[in-house]
């Protein structure tokens, strides 16, 4: 059995903050003495069903806790999802329909077990207990916190300062998330730092209801491939855990050099000693960060697709990008329905203008007519042409290139 002190060290690695470490160590000691696993809670908002490496930062920490013998309780917010988490919002969120919530929840269930151990994971829908609360219970819950406390939230405070409306129902979101902790009697709740207010509300409410307060473990927010904004599908800077191996590998090679170590630490299972060695290696001016990044991409792909798939993806990447002299930072763009004029017929002019590889339709046509446009190694002179390949490199001139992904 891993000692409580060793467990705390493992939990702390990569964590942003723990409130409080002393409480957590006490809980780990009691758990070891009684051999009772701790109940770890994670709330999932079912409005964004495509899990990417940013989401996986928290999920991978949960997997570590499972390996230490503890149990994970995932709360899919099918009830709270009908309100919508106001965190980071400048206006009231549009409520999700029951059908949307059910679809997203099913997608989450399919994806989380690519990371978590099913035998140590329990999945709950908070409608199981929240939908049954009568008005007396709701008044009691609301009576545990003041309006002033709720207005401490940055998003609410900002909206109030700008005289933007705040729906009364939005105040209930953190209360309902806190009630989830009461119902589950959770020992620990994990979440990103953007969930600080909601998770600490759980501590407050558990105390008010006579329960020990859960320990809050906050994980950092992972920057996306742009190196600036947090990883978000809406910003197009993600690596999805369901991406195909070669696409995942190519995306991982786009991680900005200053974030290589951060990605190793937050998205892989690299041993602390190996991480230290990697930092030392990158500090050597003679080492090309690209070579270190190849190892990062290989690790990421192997975690979700296996070693064989990772090796094949690396070979394909090196063959494509090195033999054809394609820049490693090439953009990847998914073709849209509107890019095709018929069954499998690509409107090349539209694609070039949409991707800003030509200023307008006239310039796009001129470049094609002059032989300045290639698909892979083939010069094209037709404005419209059949396209059956799933992936192809579009070249405009000698320096502009985009990898087109055809899901049709």
């Amino acid at each position: 059995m891993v000692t409580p002190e060793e467990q705390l060290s493992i939990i702390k690695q990569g964590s942003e903050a723990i409130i409080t470490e002393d409480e957590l160590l006490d809980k780990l000691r009691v758990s070891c003495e009684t051999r009772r696993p701790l109940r770890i809670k994670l709330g999932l908002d079912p409005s964004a069903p495509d899990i990417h490496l940013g989401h996986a930062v928290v999920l991978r920490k949960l997997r570590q806790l499972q390996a230490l013998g503890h149990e994970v309780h995932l709360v899919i917010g099918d009830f709270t999802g009908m309100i919508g988490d106001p965190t980071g919002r400048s206006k009231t969120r549009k409520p999700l329909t029951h059908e949307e919530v059910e679809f997203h929840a099913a997608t989450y269930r399919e994806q989380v077990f690519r990371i978590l151990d099913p035998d140590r994971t329990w999945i709950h829908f908070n409608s199981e207990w929240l939908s049954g609360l009568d008005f007396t219970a709701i008044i009691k819950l609301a009576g545990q916190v003041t309006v002033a406390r709720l207005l401490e939230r940055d998003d609410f405070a900002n909206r109030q300062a700008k005289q933007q409306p705040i729906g009364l129902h939005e105040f209930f979101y953190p209360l309902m998330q806190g009630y989830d902790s009461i119902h589950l009697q959770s020992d620990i709740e994990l979440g990103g730092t953007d969930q600080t207010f909601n998770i600490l509300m759980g501590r407050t409410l558990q105390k008010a209801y006579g329960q020990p307060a859960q320990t809050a473990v906050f994980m950092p927010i992972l920057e996306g491939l742009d190196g600036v904004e947090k990883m978000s599908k809406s910003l197009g800077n993600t690596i999805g855990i369901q991406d195909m191996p070669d696409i995942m590998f190519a995306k991982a090679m786009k991680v900005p050099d200053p974030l290589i170590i951060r990605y190793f630490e937050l998205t892989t299972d690299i041993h602390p000693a190996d991480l230290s060695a990697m930092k030392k290696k990158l500090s050597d001016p003679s080492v090309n960060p690209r070579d270190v990044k190849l190892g990062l991409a290989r690790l990421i792909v192997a975690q979700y697709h296996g070693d064989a798939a990772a090796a094949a993806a690396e070979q394909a990447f090196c063959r494509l990008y090195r033999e054809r002299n394609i820049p490693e930072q090439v953009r990847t763009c998914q073709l849209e329905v509107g890019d095709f004029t018929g069954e499998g017929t690509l409107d090349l002019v539209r694609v070039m203008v949409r991707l800003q590889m030509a200023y307008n339709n006239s310039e796009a046509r001129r470049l094609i007519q002059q032989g300045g446009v290639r698909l892979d190694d083939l010069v094209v002179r037709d404005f419209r042409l059949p396209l059956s390949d799933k992936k192809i490199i579009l070249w405009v001139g000698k320096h502009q290139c985009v990898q087109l992904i055809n899901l049709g």
Side-chain angles (χ1 to χ4, degrees):
M1 179 178 292
V2 182
T3 67
E5 290 74 17
E6 290 173 319
Q7 291 190 48
L8 178 61
S9 177
I10 292 170
I11 296 169
K12 285 175 62 177
Q13 181 176 323
S15 300
E16 189 81 7
I18 297 176
I19 301 176
T20 67
E21 286 189 27
D22 290 341
E23 287 180 4
L24 179 55
L25 183 57
D26 288 341
K27 290 177 181 179
L28 292 169
R29 285 170 174 162
V30 172
S31 174
C32 286
E33 291 170 2
T34 62
R35 297 191 178 273
R36 181 186 75 84
L38 296 178
R39 296 167 67 88
I40 321 297
K41 172 196 166 192
L42 173 67
L44 296 175
D45 179 355
S47 63
D50 295 325
I51 295 179
H52 52 64
L53 293 191
H55 301 126
V57 170
V58 175
L59 294 173
R60 298 191 69 78
K61 181 59 66 176
L62 289 176
R63 184 66 182 85
Q64 287 182 342
L65 284 158
Q66 288 179 322
L68 294 173
H70 305 295
E71 57 187 41
V72 167
H73 292 260
L74 300 179
V75 181
I76 296 178
D78 62 329
F79 196 87
T80 45
M82 295 179 190
I83 293 178
D85 186 357
T87 300
R89 297 285 170 163
S90 60
K91 60 182 180 180
T92 302
R93 251 174 106 167
K94 179 183 176 182
L96 296 173
T97 66
H98 177 73
E99 291 73 20
E100 287 173 326
V101 168
E102 284 295 317
F103 172 77
H104 293 160
T107 306
Y108 261 129
R109 281 180 290 181
E110 293 171 4
Q111 296 180 58
V112 294
F113 291 127
R114 296 174 71 90
I115 299 173
L116 299 181
D117 178 359
D119 294 332
R120 289 188 174 273
T121 305
W122 284 258
I123 296 180
H124 311 271
F125 293 82
N126 62 8
S127 61
E128 296 170 17
W129 50 85
L130 291 177
S131 62
L133 293 180
D134 60 22
F135 210 69
T136 301
I138 293 172
I139 292 297
K140 178 184 177 182
L141 180 63
Q144 308 305 320
V145 63
T146 66
V147 172
R149 170 76 188 281
L150 291 169
L151 288 174
E152 290 175 2
R153 287 180 59 132
D154 290 340
D155 35 37
F156 286 157
N158 291 337
R159 283 159 66 179
Q160 185 186 39
K162 296 176 182 178
Q163 296 185 331
Q164 295 172 335
I166 303 172
L168 181 60
H169 67 294
E170 294 181 88
F171 283 150
F172 277 91
Y173 189 94
L175 299 182
M176 294 160 74
Q177 183 170 327
Y179 193 86
D180 294 344
S181 297
I182 294 170
H183 180 83
L184 292 174
Q185 299 183 41
S186 56
D187 298 303
I188 301 172
E189 181 168 2
L190 262 70
T193 51
D194 57 343
Q195 289 294 311
T196 298
F197 188 93
N198 293 338
I199 293 176
L200 294 183
M201 181 60 68
R203 286 173 56 87
T204 298
L205 293 177
Q206 281 181 310
K207 292 176 184 178
Y209 279 68
Q211 293 183 11
Q214 64 187 12
T215 299
V217 177
F218 297 106
M219 300 302 297
I221 304 298
L222 180 67
E223 297 87 346
L225 296 178
D226 56 7
V228 179
E229 302 288 345
K230 79 172 185 177
M231 189 172 284
S232 169
K233 185 179 178 183
S234 64
L235 297 175
N237 62 1
T238 66
I239 301 176
I241 69 169
Q242 295 197 113
D243 284 345
M244 296 299 292
D246 47 355
I247 294 176
M248 183 180 286
F249 195 99
K251 286 183 177 180
M253 290 300 294
K254 297 178 185 178
V255 172
D257 291 352
L259 293 178
I260 292 174
I261 293 299
R262 186 166 173 82
Y263 268 71
F264 265 116
E265 183 176 28
L266 296 181
T267 70
T268 78
D269 289 329
I270 189 171
H271 190 277
D274 294 330
L275 185 65
S276 297
M278 200 68 69
K279 291 178 181 177
K280 184 177 180 180
K281 185 176 182 180
L282 274 173
S283 67
D284 184 344
S286 66
V287 173
N288 189 334
R290 178 199 60 201
D291 297 330
V292 178
K293 208 180 301 183
L294 283 170
L296 171 65
R298 188 165 53 246
L299 270 179
I300 290 174
V301 176
Q303 286 171 172
Y304 297 101
H305 297 285
D307 292 336
E314 181 177 11
Q315 291 175 1
F317 177 87
C318 293
R319 183 170 59 251
L320 178 64
Y321 287 79
R322 290 178 179 172
E323 292 179 5
R324 297 185 183 179
N325 296 316
I326 298 173
E328 292 174 0
Q329 297 296 324
V330 65
R331 285 190 294 161
T332 300
C333 297
Q334 183 175 314
L335 291 172
E336 301 174 350
V337 173
D339 293 332
F340 295 89
T341 60
E343 186 66 31
T345 301
L346 184 68
D347 186 341
L348 189 55
V349 171
R350 181 187 190 278
V351 171
M352 288 171 61
V353 174
R354 181 172 73 81
L355 299 182
Q356 298 180 343
M357 302 179 82
Y359 293 113
N360 51 39
N361 291 350
S362 297
E363 187 192 27
R365 292 190 183 94
R366 178 179 60 79
L367 288 167
I368 294 170
Q369 291 171 334
Q370 293 177 348
V373 178
R374 288 180 292 141
L375 289 176
D376 283 342
D377 296 323
L378 180 66
V379 175
V380 296
R381 298 185 183 276
D382 295 325
F383 303 149
R384 295 179 176 84
L385 66 160
L387 183 66
S388 58
D389 293 336
K390 294 299 181 184
K391 290 187 302 180
I392 197 165
I393 300 293
L394 169 63
W395 286 90
V396 177
K398 295 182 178 180
H399 304 294
Q400 285 196 85
C401 64
V402 173
Q403 184 177 54
L404 302 179
I405 307 297
N406 177 19
L407 298 182

